[in-house]
Amino acid sequence: MSYETYFQNMREQHLDELKQFLTIPSISALSEHKKDINEAAQWIAAKLEKAGLANVKIHPTEGHPVVYAEHIQAPGKPTVLIYGHYDVQPVDPLHLWETPPFEPAIRDGKLYARGATDDKGQLFLHVKAIEALLSQENALPVNVKFCIEGEEEISSPNLPAFMKANEDKLATDVVLISDTSLLAKGKPAISTGLRGLCSLEVTVATANTDLHSGTFGGGVPNALHALISLLDSLHDDKGRVAIDGFYEGVPELSADMREEFLKQNHNEEQLRTNLGLEALYGEEGYSFVERTGARPTLELNGVYGGFQGEGTKTVIPKEAHAKITCRLVGDQDPSQVLDKIAAHLESHVGPGAKLVIKRGEQARAFNMDPSHPMLQKAADAYEQVYGTRALFTKDGGSIPIVETFSRVLRAPVVMMGFGLPDENLHAPNEHFNLENFDKGLLTIVAFLKQL
C-alpha cells in the first residue's frame, strides 16, 4: 500500500486523535493548568508507545516534564532527534474566538483550536509518520529519538539543563523540528536562521516627587523629556542602531543568501498597503525580508510615564520608563550587546537625570549553512511531495532552544515547518490548514527515507 493510500485511509482516525490532543488546555504560562500540562505529557507519551517506540518515559524537571522515546534498531544508519512541544499559549481575548479554543472545529479545510499549528498539530505529524513507517515496513529507515517539552511557550527554562544532563541519551546526527511555516500556500521553506534576543527595561528618574508644571516648569529636568531624548539617540537617520559596537559579530549577507531572499518575490508595496502604512521603514540598503530575517534590530516595545488618565494634569513626572528588545544575528553576544546599550544610555543621559537598567532575557542567534546535506535532503523531500523545492530562508523570530540543541548536541538542525504565516499562532482563531497536515505526513516520511 502506498503511503498516500495509507494516510488517506487513516485520515479521519488521525484527525480524531489530534482533536483529542487539542482539547487539553496545556497552557504552560498559567499555574492553574499544571494538571492539564501533565495530562498532555501523558497523552503524547501514550501515543508514542502506540506508534511502536520504546523506552517511553516522562522525565520530571523543575518545571514541566519532558517526554522521551526512541526506536534504535537501524545499526549504521543516521539517528534523528525529533523535537516538539505540547504546551500552548494562553487564549485571551476569549471573545474573539469564533469557536472555543479547546473545542477543535474544522471549517473550510482548516482545523481551529489553540495549539493546532503551534505546535501540537505539527508535532503530531511526526508521531503518525513514524507509526506509518513501522506499520507499513515493520522497521524505520533511520534511528529515531523524540524529545518533547512542555515549556517552549515560556522560553524553555528547564530544557537546557535536561539536555546537558542527558547528552548521551539525546546524541544524534540531526535534530528535526516542525514549528515554523511555509512561505505561502504551496511554497515550502526551510529556515536556516533564527534571530537571537535580548531585552531590558530602562527607568529615568529626576526629582524625588512629581512637580507642578507651572511652579517648576522650565526650571527642573522632566523625566519624560530626558527619556525621549535618550531613546532618540539609539538610531541614526538611516535606520541603523547608533550604539558603538552594536554590529560586532554581524555577518554581511552573501550573494547566495541575498539571491535566496530575492526568490521569495516578496511584495513590499502589497505589505505596505495591507498594513495601512504610508511607507515601510528600516535600515538603509536592505529589503524588508533581509531586514526582518538577517539584520539585527533595536525596538521600543513600550514607553510610559507621567499622567495618562482622562483630561489634563499639569505635572512634571519624576520618572519615565521604556521597554526595549533587540533581535540579534550572527555571532552577536546578547550579554555584550546589553553591556553596549547600557554604556550608550549612561553616556547620553541628560543632566539631572538618573538611570536604572534592568536586564531581561538573553538568547543567541541560530544559523545553518543551506548547503548542508541534511538541509538539501529536506528540500528534496518537500519537492517530492509539494512539487516545488523548498527555499532557504531566515526567520526574524527567536526560538532560543534551537541554538541550544545545535550547540549542546553538536548536530545540525533541520526546521521543516508545515504551518502557514496567517494561521493565527499566539492569537484568537489559531488553525492548521489540513492540506499541509496531509502533505506534511508524506514529506516527513520522504525525508526519513532519504536519510
Side-chain angles (χ1 to χ4, degrees):
M1 183 190 304
S2 71
Y3 282 97
E4 290 90 340
T5 301
Y6 173 88
F7 286 125
Q8 189 59 43
N9 291 344
M10 298 295 292
R11 192 174 194 262
E12 290 309 311
Q13 180 180 322
H14 287 169
L15 288 175
D16 285 344
E17 290 182 30
L18 178 54
K19 287 177 182 177
Q20 294 170 21
F21 196 18
L22 294 170
T23 63
I24 305 171
S26 49
I27 303 171
S28 53
L30 302 177
S31 58
E32 61 261 36
H33 287 281
K34 178 70 174 177
K35 177 175 176 291
D36 302 309
I37 283 284
N38 290 330
E39 181 184 349
Q42 291 164 5
W43 191 94
I44 196 67
K47 292 302 175 184
L48 290 166
E49 283 190 339
K50 178 177 176 291
L53 287 121
N55 297 324
V56 180
K57 185 175 179 181
I58 299 175
H59 293 266
T61 72
E62 291 186 9
H64 303 320
V66 173
V67 180
Y68 176 83
E70 65 184 25
H71 192 281
I72 312 296
Q73 297 184 23
K77 302 296 184 181
T79 297
V80 180
L81 176 69
I82 298 168
Y83 163 81
H85 63 93
Y86 60 81
D87 64 319
V88 299
Q89 282 277 323
V91 296
D92 346 55
L94 191 58
H95 71 278
L96 293 181
W97 287 80
E98 291 183 28
T99 49
F102 297 109
E103 295 180 18
I106 294 176
R107 300 191 298 275
D108 301 321
K110 303 170 184 176
L111 175 59
Y112 286 81
R114 174 56 90 227
T117 190
D118 182 23
D119 177 48
K120 288 180 178 178
Q122 297 201 56
L123 167 62
F124 185 78
L125 295 177
H126 290 276
V127 180
K128 291 304 165 184
I130 296 301
E131 184 177 77
L133 284 161
L134 289 171
S135 172
Q136 292 281 85
E137 304 182 29
N138 295 314
L140 295 181
V142 293
N143 299 296
V144 168
K145 300 175 180 180
F146 277 87
C147 177
I148 305 170
E149 69 158 324
E151 297 184 328
E152 193 275 342
E153 300 293 5
I154 54 173
S155 300
S156 306
N158 293 293
L159 189 56
F162 176 83
M163 290 168 60
K164 289 175 182 175
N166 293 275
E167 281 189 56
D168 290 342
K169 180 191 289 288
L170 299 176
T172 186
D173 295 297
V174 60
V175 179
L176 177 58
I177 301 175
S178 294
D179 197 9
T180 51
S181 299
L182 283 70
L183 278 176
K185 179 180 169 65
K187 294 183 178 180
I190 297 171
S191 176
T192 64
L194 295 165
R195 291 195 289 190
L197 180 70
C198 64
S199 67
L200 66 155
E201 296 183 26
V202 180
T203 298
V204 171
T206 49
N208 57 10
T209 183
D210 288 351
L211 297 169
H212 189 287
S213 67
T215 306
F216 292 92
V220 297
N222 182 312
L224 275 171
H225 292 183
L227 178 64
I228 290 168
S229 177
L230 191 60
L231 298 179
D232 188 51
S233 74
L234 295 173
H235 291 86
D236 66 18
D237 59 3
K238 295 184 178 179
R240 282 179 63 86
V241 178
I243 293 168
D244 187 38
F246 180 82
Y247 288 92
E248 289 178 10
V250 176
E252 285 301 320
L253 285 177
S254 68
D256 287 345
M257 197 67 242
R258 298 198 92 157
E259 181 64 26
E260 286 295 319
F261 280 121
L262 281 173
K263 289 178 184 176
Q264 295 184 29
N265 294 317
H266 188 268
N267 189 328
E268 294 194 5
E269 180 60 22
Q270 185 63 54
L271 174 68
R272 184 195 65 77
T273 302
N274 291 346
L275 296 178
L277 292 169
E278 292 298 319
L280 299 179
Y281 169 82
E283 186 181 2
E284 190 175 272
Y286 297 92
S287 68
F288 174 84
V289 289
E290 289 171 343
R291 292 170 183 162
T292 58
R295 297 297 292 170
T297 66
L298 185 153
E299 297 287 353
L300 307 181
N301 307 123
V303 179
Y304 53 100
F307 178 66
Q308 299 174 57
E310 184 178 357
T312 301
K313 182 180 181 183
T314 54
V315 64
I316 298 174
K318 68 171 186 172
E319 62 183 34
H321 312 270
K323 294 178 182 288
I324 300 173
T325 54
C326 297
R327 299 289 178 167
L328 310 177
V329 301
D331 293 323
Q332 283 182 296
D333 183 319
S335 178
Q336 292 180 12
V337 169
L338 288 174
D339 288 343
K340 292 165 184 172
I341 296 172
H344 177 96
L345 294 172
E346 292 284 1
S347 67
H348 285 74
V349 67
K354 301 178 289 292
L355 204 59
V356 176
I357 298 172
K358 179 182 177 182
R359 298 182 180 220
E361 55 202 319
Q362 300 179 35
R364 285 182 171 271
F366 163 76
N367 289 286
M368 274 282 293
D369 183 346
S371 67
H372 194 286
M374 292 292 186
L375 294 184
Q376 292 296 318
K377 287 180 182 294
D380 293 341
Y382 274 116
E383 184 173 20
Q384 182 177 327
V385 176
Y386 282 82
T388 183
R389 205 161 188 273
L391 291 178
F392 296 107
T393 65
K394 289 187 180 295
D395 290 345
S398 305
I399 309 176
I401 202 62
V402 173
E403 187 274 337
T404 308
F405 268 117
S406 176
R407 174 168 41 82
V408 174
L409 301 184
R410 298 173 294 281
V413 180
V414 177
M415 287 186 281
M416 296 183 72
F418 299 101
L420 284 174
D422 62 354
E423 289 181 334
N424 289 19
L425 63 166
H426 294 204
N429 301 311
E430 179 181 348
H431 57 276
F432 190 21
N433 282 261
L434 295 183
E435 175 187 359
N436 292 319
F437 175 88
D438 298 330
K439 290 184 175 179
L441 289 163
L442 294 169
T443 305
I444 293 167
V445 168
F447 177 60
L448 296 178
K449 289 176 76 68
Q450 284 187 28
L451 291 187

